[in-house]
Amino acid sequence: MHAVGIVAAAGSGLRLGADRPKALVPLADRPLVCWAVDTLRDGGVADVVVAVPGDELCAFATVLPLDVRLVVGGSTRTASVRAALAAVGTGADAVLVHDAARPLTPPDLVVRVLEALSAGARAVVPVLPVVDTTVVVDDDGGVADTVDRSVLRRVQTPQGFARDALVDAYAWLPPDAELTDDAAVVRAAGVPVATVAGDERGAKVTVPHDLALAELQVSR
C-alpha cells in the first residue's frame, strides 16, 4: 500500500502569541512542522505534501527536506487539505492527514493507522477517552445536563483514508465549507470512520502553555 502524508501547516500563530506561522514556531530549536514530517516518515510514510501560507513558501522550503512537496494552503484547514490533496496524485492508495501542531505524535500511532487501512478501513482516526466530567450549559452558563463520557472520545491526527474515499468526499463538499477535521468531511459523504487507540503524546500545540509542556517532554 502506497500512502502519502499531508501536513496541514497553513495556520497562523495568533493563539500561540507567535510572530510567524504556528508550524514554524520552534520546539527544541526545530520548527513544529519538521517534527510532524518526521513523525510520518518514521512511521512509514515517506511521501509528504505540506500545505503552507502562500507568503511563507521560502521559509518552509528552507527548513524542510528538499523532497517534501509544498503547496499553498487556504484560509481554513479544510481549504488547505483540499489544496494538498490535489497534489497527491492517483498513484497513492491511502492518504494520512496530520496536523503540524502535533509535533510529538509517536511514529507507532502512524503505524496503527496504516494497519487499520491495510485491514480494509476506508477511514480511521486515533482517539482518546474523555476523562473529565462533561456537561451541557444553557444560554446563561448554567449546567443543563451531564454527558455520558463513556461514549465520548477526543480525536487526534494523523487521520487515515483510502485516497479515493477522501477525494470523492472533498469533491462532494461545497467549496466554502469549513469542517473541523477530515473525518467530518468523509462522514458527511457517508463514509464510516473506524478508530484506533490514540496517544497522549500527540497533544496539539495551540496556546503557549501547550508549547511549554512540549518543551518539558522533549527535555526529559
Side-chain angles (χ1 to χ4, degrees):
M1 181 180 68
H2 175 52
V4 175
I6 289 175
V7 177
S12 72
L14 293 178
R15 284 185 290 176
L16 198 55
D19 59 355
R20 67 195 78 182
K22 185 198 297 186
L24 291 177
V25 171
L27 168 63
D29 298 322
R30 297 183 69 227
L32 296 179
V33 66
C34 296
W35 293 85
V37 169
D38 285 353
T39 288
L40 290 172
R41 290 189 156 177
D42 291 346
V45 181
D47 190 359
V48 180
V49 180
V50 181
V52 307
D55 58 353
E56 296 284 356
L57 274 168
C58 289
F60 278 85
T62 299
V63 301
L64 288 168
L66 292 175
D67 59 347
V68 170
R69 288 179 284 165
L70 302 181
V71 300
V72 176
S75 59
T76 66
R77 187 185 191 283
T78 303
S80 292
V81 174
R82 190 193 294 270
L85 189 58
V88 166
T90 58
D93 302 301
V95 177
L96 270 66
V97 184
H98 191 36
D99 292 334
R102 296 183 186 271
L104 301 184
T105 299
D108 60 355
L109 182 50
V110 178
V111 173
R112 287 200 290 277
V113 172
L114 290 173
E115 288 175 345
L117 292 171
S118 294
R122 301 282 286 163
V124 58
V125 297
V127 297
L128 291 170
V130 173
V131 296
D132 294 324
T133 297
T134 304
V135 299
V136 177
V137 297
D138 58 27
D139 293 340
D140 298 322
V143 173
D145 197 5
T146 300
V147 180
D148 178 7
R149 67 186 180 193
S150 69
V151 297
L152 299 180
R153 298 293 183 272
R154 295 174 284 147
V155 179
Q156 299 182 305
T157 71
Q159 300 181 358
F161 308 91
R163 187 197 67 84
D164 60 327
L166 190 59
V167 168
D168 290 348
Y170 266 96
W172 173 88
L173 193 71
D176 59 348
E178 181 180 351
L179 301 180
T180 56
D181 68 358
D182 299 284
V185 174
V186 298
R187 284 190 68 246
V191 179
V193 179
T195 64
V196 295
D199 194 297
E200 293 288 358
R201 290 170 290 178
K204 191 173 184 179
V205 173
T206 302
V207 296
H209 177 69
D210 300 329
L211 185 60
L213 288 178
E215 290 280 4
L216 285 173
Q217 285 184 264
V218 172
S219 64
R220 287 177 181 172

PDB file of all heavy atoms in Angstrom, residues 1-4 88-94 163:
ATOM      1  N   MET A   1       0.844  -1.199   0.000  1.00  0.00           N
ATOM      2  CA  MET A   1       0.000   0.000   0.000  1.00  0.00           C
ATOM      3  C   MET A   1       0.874   1.241   0.000  1.00  0.00           C
ATOM      4  O   MET A   1       1.745   1.397   0.862  1.00  0.00           O
ATOM      5  CB  MET A   1      -0.905   0.005   1.237  1.00  0.00           C
ATOM      6  CG  MET A   1      -1.835   1.222   1.305  1.00  0.00           C
ATOM      7  SD  MET A   1      -2.900   1.212   2.766  1.00  0.00           S
ATOM      8  CE  MET A   1      -1.694   1.463   4.072  1.00  0.00           C
ATOM      9  N   HIS A   2       0.660   2.099  -0.982  1.00  0.00           N
ATOM     10  CA  HIS A   2       1.417   3.349  -1.053  1.00  0.00           C
ATOM     11  C   HIS A   2       0.604   4.460  -0.384  1.00  0.00           C
ATOM     12  O   HIS A   2      -0.492   4.795  -0.825  1.00  0.00           O
ATOM     13  CB  HIS A   2       1.714   3.726  -2.501  1.00  0.00           C
ATOM     14  CG  HIS A   2       2.383   5.059  -2.652  1.00  0.00           C
ATOM     15  ND1 HIS A   2       3.525   5.402  -1.957  1.00  0.00           N
ATOM     16  CD2 HIS A   2       2.072   6.146  -3.402  1.00  0.00           C
ATOM     17  CE1 HIS A   2       3.892   6.619  -2.279  1.00  0.00           C
ATOM     18  NE2 HIS A   2       3.025   7.103  -3.145  1.00  0.00           N
ATOM     19  N   ALA A   3       1.150   5.012   0.684  1.00  0.00           N
ATOM     20  CA  ALA A   3       0.470   6.082   1.420  1.00  0.00           C
ATOM     21  C   ALA A   3       1.217   7.394   1.244  1.00  0.00           C
ATOM     22  O   ALA A   3       2.447   7.427   1.208  1.00  0.00           O
ATOM     23  CB  ALA A   3       0.366   5.731   2.902  1.00  0.00           C
ATOM     24  N   VAL A   4       0.466   8.470   1.138  1.00  0.00           N
ATOM     25  CA  VAL A   4       1.019   9.823   1.069  1.00  0.00           C
ATOM     26  C   VAL A   4       0.542  10.585   2.293  1.00  0.00           C
ATOM     27  O   VAL A   4      -0.626  10.484   2.692  1.00  0.00           O
ATOM     28  CB  VAL A   4       0.577  10.549  -0.213  1.00  0.00           C
ATOM     29  CG1 VAL A   4       1.058  12.005  -0.208  1.00  0.00           C
ATOM     30  CG2 VAL A   4       1.108   9.829  -1.440  1.00  0.00           C
ATOM     31  N   VAL A  88      -1.596  15.158  -4.470  1.00  0.00           N
ATOM     32  CA  VAL A  88      -1.238  13.793  -4.093  1.00  0.00           C
ATOM     33  C   VAL A  88      -1.073  12.894  -5.312  1.00  0.00           C
ATOM     34  O   VAL A  88      -0.172  12.072  -5.384  1.00  0.00           O
ATOM     35  CB  VAL A  88      -2.287  13.216  -3.118  1.00  0.00           C
ATOM     36  CG1 VAL A  88      -2.132  11.710  -2.980  1.00  0.00           C
ATOM     37  CG2 VAL A  88      -2.159  13.890  -1.755  1.00  0.00           C
ATOM     38  N   GLY A  89      -1.943  13.044  -6.302  1.00  0.00           N
ATOM     39  CA  GLY A  89      -1.866  12.194  -7.479  1.00  0.00           C
ATOM     40  C   GLY A  89      -2.605  10.887  -7.309  1.00  0.00           C
ATOM     41  O   GLY A  89      -2.972  10.496  -6.195  1.00  0.00           O
ATOM     42  N   THR A  90      -2.792  10.186  -8.416  1.00  0.00           N
ATOM     43  CA  THR A  90      -3.611   8.969  -8.419  1.00  0.00           C
ATOM     44  C   THR A  90      -2.828   7.717  -8.043  1.00  0.00           C
ATOM     45  O   THR A  90      -3.409   6.643  -7.911  1.00  0.00           O
ATOM     46  CB  THR A  90      -4.248   8.764  -9.802  1.00  0.00           C
ATOM     47  OG1 THR A  90      -3.205   8.685 -10.793  1.00  0.00           O
ATOM     48  CG2 THR A  90      -5.172   9.930 -10.148  1.00  0.00           C
ATOM     49  N   GLY A  91      -1.521   7.841  -7.863  1.00  0.00           N
ATOM     50  CA  GLY A  91      -0.725   6.659  -7.547  1.00  0.00           C
ATOM     51  C   GLY A  91      -0.818   6.221  -6.104  1.00  0.00           C
ATOM     52  O   GLY A  91      -0.396   5.108  -5.767  1.00  0.00           O
ATOM     53  N   ALA A  92      -1.373   7.061  -5.252  1.00  0.00           N
ATOM     54  CA  ALA A  92      -1.470   6.724  -3.828  1.00  0.00           C
ATOM     55  C   ALA A  92      -2.704   5.867  -3.560  1.00  0.00           C
ATOM     56  O   ALA A  92      -3.766   6.090  -4.132  1.00  0.00           O
ATOM     57  CB  ALA A  92      -1.530   7.993  -2.991  1.00  0.00           C
ATOM     58  N   ASP A  93      -2.545   4.904  -2.676  1.00  0.00           N
ATOM     59  CA  ASP A  93      -3.681   4.100  -2.231  1.00  0.00           C
ATOM     60  C   ASP A  93      -4.344   4.727  -1.014  1.00  0.00           C
ATOM     61  O   ASP A  93      -5.556   4.600  -0.822  1.00  0.00           O
ATOM     62  CB  ASP A  93      -3.214   2.688  -1.851  1.00  0.00           C
ATOM     63  CG  ASP A  93      -2.515   1.985  -2.993  1.00  0.00           C
ATOM     64  OD1 ASP A  93      -3.144   1.806  -4.049  1.00  0.00           O
ATOM     65  OD2 ASP A  93      -1.330   1.625  -2.819  1.00  0.00           O
ATOM     66  N   ALA A  94      -3.535   5.387  -0.188  1.00  0.00           N
ATOM     67  CA  ALA A  94      -4.033   5.941   1.076  1.00  0.00           C
ATOM     68  C   ALA A  94      -3.434   7.318   1.313  1.00  0.00           C
ATOM     69  O   ALA A  94      -2.367   7.649   0.798  1.00  0.00           O
ATOM     70  CB  ALA A  94      -3.691   5.016   2.234  1.00  0.00           C
ATOM     71  N   ARG A 163      -7.515   6.781  -0.498  1.00  0.00           N
ATOM     72  CA  ARG A 163      -7.402   8.021  -1.277  1.00  0.00           C
ATOM     73  C   ARG A 163      -8.686   8.346  -2.017  1.00  0.00           C
ATOM     74  O   ARG A 163      -9.156   9.491  -2.014  1.00  0.00           O
ATOM     75  CB  ARG A 163      -6.243   7.919  -2.267  1.00  0.00           C
ATOM     76  CG  ARG A 163      -5.960   9.248  -3.006  1.00  0.00           C
ATOM     77  CD  ARG A 163      -5.125   9.043  -4.245  1.00  0.00           C
ATOM     78  NE  ARG A 163      -5.845   8.308  -5.259  1.00  0.00           N
ATOM     79  CZ  ARG A 163      -6.702   8.865  -6.127  1.00  0.00           C
ATOM     80  NH1 ARG A 163      -6.935  10.162  -6.104  1.00  0.00           N
ATOM     81  NH2 ARG A 163      -7.341   8.110  -7.005  1.00  0.00           N
TER      82      ARG A 163
END
